[in-house]
Amino acid sequence: MKKFSSLKEIRTLIDQKKTSMPQLLDYYFNQITANEGLNAFNEVFSESASLQAAAVQQKLEQGTAGKLAGMVIGIKDNICYKDHQVSASSKMLDGFVSPYSATVVQRLLDEDAVIIGRLNCDEFAMGGSNETSYFGPVKNAFDQDRVAGGSSGGSAVAVQADLCLAALGTDTGGSVRQPAAFCGCIGMKPTYGRISRYGVIAYASSFDQVGTITSSVSDAELLLEVLAGADDYDSTVAQQPVPAYSEIKTKDKKFRIAVLKETLSSEALDSSVKSAILAAIDKLRGQGHTVTEVSFELLDYMVPAYYVLTTAEASSNLSRYDGVHYGYRNTQAESLNALYKLSRAEGFGEEVKRRILLGTFVLSAGYYDAYYQKAQRVRRLIREKAENLLQDYDVILTPVAPTPPFKIGENIEDPLVMYMADIYTVLASLAGIPAIAIPLGNNDNGLPVSLQLMAGHFKEEILFSLSDSFLK
């Protein structure tokens, strides 16, 4: 078999009796085995996936199969699946078996997707290169000396290397879009609150959002259609109806696109990324869209505000992992205080501990007003600026990342360099607006580059429509 481009292609082959769900699953199992060196999977769900595939095949033959029948999908290892392990790629949760399924997992199963395994990620989704995982770094299939991006690196490489058709990730500040860009895939982060976070291990609750990584826009549309919508288990989910994204056809519409000129004038932007973005802008203009350069003066404040707020939320969310309530427990401690200290020191990796300490600091007495409250005010200003801009334009365009994928180990010792890699993705996260990463092909070194499109709250259909027409 060759790499499948979309669910539609797979369903056609199944309908023509050229393949079946068990055969398709065996193909992906073989692909995973042949590409073990990429380290994309923390665990393959061989038994449960095989049972699912057989059941879905029966439904297909009976004509009762759901919307996602034929889709073999992986889930990031911070998304709970009942009776399966989930670890957030951390020693702290290694071996933990979830007693329930996340809402997104249940919705996949209800529409007959087959979940093939849990995918490697940065520990507790904290990282931009998938180098902080307890299970080791994920390697980019284009060049195994380079990072896959993070934190959803395993999800991106699994789709890139044809280990499954699609994957779920989570996006806090770019963790779906950036690895998708580094791996030449389509990465979709919907509006905050569009998809339930119930059953997703929390990093920063006011930012975290489940997203999708696919090879086609049509699969991204269909997945969002299935995953989005109100959920009794998550009060932060929007109550408004979910459009049938896969049926919305506005490919002939011409959009007003704002390019943030500061993102293209930055010295940190790699020349190959800049040239690809400029070529994409020319293509969009050639398709009849209006593309205008605009200024966004708050760009320099976004990364500091983002890291103050997310580390503060992380320090609170991860306080439960103390060796008593949840997680790894040191067995040598001789007092309760020692138990807390040793369990957390041994269970968490260096990057997670760094962010917990940063978050505890900005929330501490004497610094709360100076850092946390000020960052909240900056977040409001950024959101208002983005909303005002999106009243005059349909879409905001920027790069996804300043560079193509860098080499493993190149930046991991310099946290500030790693954090600044989020400079283009955190806008959508701070503002809570939807964003998508679209591949632009490879540079002269064979490394993928991408552009990012952002739209107004709950206007994902604009991103799908523009992406679909651009890629054709």
Side-chain angles (χ1 to χ4, degrees):
M1 294 185 186
K2 64 178 180 65
K3 182 175 181 177
F4 301 105
S5 62
S6 66
L7 178 61
K8 183 178 180 180
E9 180 186 357
I10 289 175
R11 286 295 293 267
T12 298
L13 291 172
I14 291 175
D15 292 343
Q16 294 173 348
K17 310 294 185 186
K18 293 181 179 179
T19 190
S20 66
M21 283 306 302
Q23 289 174 318
L24 184 66
L25 190 61
D26 284 342
Y27 165 75
Y28 284 121
F29 284 154
N30 291 333
Q31 284 289 101
I32 293 168
T33 300
N35 291 277
E36 282 182 341
L38 297 175
N39 201 30
F41 279 84
N42 286 343
E43 183 183 6
V44 178
F45 300 146
S46 303
E47 184 176 349
S48 62
S50 297
L51 291 172
Q52 277 179 273
V56 172
Q57 180 63 31
Q58 189 173 19
K59 287 185 178 182
L60 285 165
E61 293 170 358
Q62 295 170 348
T64 58
K67 291 180 181 179
L68 299 181
M71 179 173 284
V72 176
I73 190 166
I75 58 174
K76 187 175 179 178
D77 192 15
N78 63 347
I79 300 174
C80 294
Y81 183 8
K82 186 177 181 180
D83 298 329
H84 293 74
Q85 287 189 44
V86 58
S87 74
S89 289
S90 176
K91 179 180 180 180
M92 182 60 78
L93 285 174
D94 191 21
F96 175 73
V97 176
S98 177
Y100 66 96
S101 287
T103 296
V104 289
V105 166
Q106 192 57 55
R107 288 180 179 177
L108 290 176
L109 296 173
D110 289 346
E111 292 294 343
D112 292 326
V114 173
I115 300 174
I116 195 170
R118 56 187 175 107
L119 294 157
N120 202 349
C121 59
D122 279 302
E123 184 183 8
F124 281 98
M126 297 184 193
S129 61
N130 220 140
E131 294 176 275
T132 71
S133 169
Y134 175 60
F135 302 104
V138 177
K139 299 177 181 178
N140 196 308
F142 280 108
D143 179 349
Q144 293 194 31
D145 290 330
R146 295 183 182 269
V147 301
S151 61
S152 307
S155 300
V157 167
V159 176
Q160 173 197 40
D162 196 26
L163 312 184
C164 54
L165 181 65
L168 295 191
T170 58
D171 193 309
T172 306
S175 290
V176 162
R177 291 162 283 155
Q178 186 248 36
F182 277 9
C183 295
C185 304
I186 296 167
M188 178 67 190
K189 182 201 88 73
T191 304
Y192 180 81
R194 195 34 133 176
I195 295 178
S196 172
R197 291 180 294 110
Y198 175 74
V200 178
I201 295 173
Y203 162 19
S205 303
S206 73
F207 290 83
D208 295 343
Q209 185 62 78
V210 175
T212 61
I213 298 177
T214 61
S215 294
S216 69
V217 175
S218 60
D219 285 353
E221 291 172 335
L222 187 58
L223 278 168
L224 185 57
E225 189 176 310
V226 167
L227 298 173
D231 179 20
D232 291 340
Y233 295 110
D234 183 356
S235 62
T236 67
V237 179
Q239 300 297 305
Q240 61 193 82
V242 179
Y245 296 109
S246 59
E247 297 175 12
I248 297 174
K249 304 300 178 187
T250 57
K251 295 179 176 58
D252 295 330
K253 184 175 179 180
K254 305 307 175 186
F255 295 104
R256 298 163 298 163
I257 302 170
V259 178
L260 302 190
K261 63 182 181 181
E262 289 88 353
T263 65
L264 295 183
S265 61
S266 170
E267 292 181 1
L269 186 63
D270 181 87
S271 59
S272 68
V273 176
K274 182 174 182 177
S275 61
I277 295 288
L278 292 175
I281 290 171
D282 288 341
K283 181 177 178 180
L284 288 166
R285 285 183 172 135
Q287 291 178 338
H289 304 290
T290 302
V291 184
T292 308
E293 281 198 3
V294 299
S295 184
F296 200 96
E297 303 87 355
L298 299 173
L299 188 68
D300 290 340
Y301 300 99
M302 291 194 288
V303 170
Y306 169 78
Y307 276 98
V308 167
L309 296 172
T310 56
T311 57
E313 293 184 24
S315 73
S316 175
N317 279 326
L318 272 64
S319 64
R320 71 194 72 178
Y321 304 105
D322 56 10
V324 177
H325 296 90
Y326 296 96
Y328 169 82
R329 181 171 188 158
N330 176 276
T331 58
Q332 307 301 316
E334 297 181 354
S335 68
L336 182 61
N337 197 41
L339 174 65
Y340 288 148
K341 287 183 177 181
L342 291 171
S343 297
R344 288 171 68 81
E346 296 168 6
F348 289 133
E350 292 304 311
E351 182 60 30
V352 173
K353 285 188 278 192
R354 181 183 292 115
R355 298 194 191 195
I356 290 172
L357 288 170
L358 282 169
T360 303
F361 173 77
V362 302
L363 290 175
S364 60
Y367 297 101
Y368 182 84
D369 292 343
Y371 293 103
Y372 183 74
Q373 284 198 330
K374 187 173 288 184
Q376 289 284 29
R377 289 194 289 270
V378 172
R379 184 182 192 180
R380 189 191 73 246
L381 291 173
I382 290 168
R383 180 180 176 125
E384 289 174 354
K385 175 76 173 175
E387 289 174 345
N388 290 336
L389 189 58
L390 286 165
Q391 289 179 358
D392 297 325
Y393 297 91
D394 302 303
V395 173
I396 298 171
L397 185 153
T398 71
V400 181
T403 67
F406 45 86
K407 289 190 175 181
I408 293 172
E410 184 177 340
N411 297 326
I412 193 66
E413 299 300 326
D414 191 338
L416 288 179
V417 171
M418 295 292 288
Y419 295 171
M420 288 306 295
D422 296 333
I423 189 167
Y424 302 135
T425 52
V426 293
L427 169 57
S429 303
L430 287 160
I433 57 178
I436 192 168
I438 297 297
L440 299 177
N442 297 345
N443 66 11
D444 291 340
N445 294 321
L447 300 174
V449 291
S450 295
L451 64 78
Q452 176 179 224
L453 303 174
M454 294 169 269
H457 294 100
F458 304 107
K459 292 185 178 178
E460 287 85 358
E461 66 275 9
I462 291 177
L463 300 181
F464 288 138
S465 179
L466 184 55
S467 301
D468 193 44
S469 62
F470 178 80
L471 290 172
K472 288 185 176 177

